Each structure stands twice: as structure tokens, then as C-alpha cells.
Amino acid sequence: MRLNRNSGLALALIAFGVMILLSKMGLHMGHIMSFLFPVALIGLGYVGLRNDRTIIGLILIAIGSLVLIVKLSGVIAILVAIGLIVYGISSLKRKSRAY
């Protein structure tokens, strides 16, 4: 099998199709399946951009990105909390300068 520039897209479509079939057959992938639709929208938007369909591509990427951000909001909140904790600890360790 020779790999060309469309091989990555073909492999991604095959993987998405297998995951959908497994879900329909009763072998649920759990939380991973909920990320399939927004990732597919982003991928289709990218394909639209590559094929000079700029407006449709940008719309699909925007919708997919917004849905993905909503689905990842819990993870994003945890990362923000960790960042605030690290910043607070580094602020406490920093020596205050008295002039």
C-alpha cells in the first residue's frame, strides 16, 4: 500500500466508521464516541479549506471547535485551576523586595 496525501484522511474515515459500527453493535466506546462528531466536523472543515471552499470550511471548523470546547470544558477548568495553583505557589516562593 502506497501512502499519498489522501491516505491520512482515508485512515481517519476508516477509524471513524469502525468506531460508529462498534457502537451500533453494542460495543460502546464510552466517552470517546462523544468526541467523534466535533472532530469529524473539524476534519471536514479542513477538507473544505483544502478544496477552496473557504466559507463552508470555516463554518464547519468553527462549529466543530465550539462543540469540542464545550465537551472539553471540564478538562479546561482543571487545567486553569492547576495553573492558578502553580502561579500562586510561585508567587509565595518569590522573595519580596523591600526598597
Side-chain angles (χ1 to χ4, degrees), residues 47-98:
V47 170
L49 286 176
R50 297 276 313 241
N51 291 327
D52 295 329
R53 306 268 192 232
T54 307
I55 295 173
I56 292 176
L58 289 175
I59 290 171
L60 289 176
I61 288 174
I63 292 172
S65 298
L66 288 174
V67 172
L68 195 59
I69 287 172
V70 169
K71 290 192 176 289
L72 293 175
S73 63
V75 174
I76 293 170
I78 290 171
L79 292 175
V80 168
I82 290 171
L84 290 172
I85 291 169
V86 168
Y87 181 73
I89 291 172
S90 68
S91 294
L92 286 175
K93 286 185 175 182
R94 192 177 328 145
K95 295 180 180 180
S96 61
R97 297 180 181 171

Side-chain angles (χ1 to χ4, degrees), residues 26-59:
L27 184 64
H28 294 286
M29 302 298 265
H31 199 59
I32 295 171
M33 286 300 294
S34 68
F35 294 105
L36 178 63
F37 183 69
V39 170
L41 279 178
I42 293 170
L44 288 173
Y46 176 74
V47 170
L49 286 176
R50 297 276 313 241
N51 291 327
D52 295 329
R53 306 268 192 232
T54 307
I55 295 173
I56 292 176
L58 289 175
I59 290 171

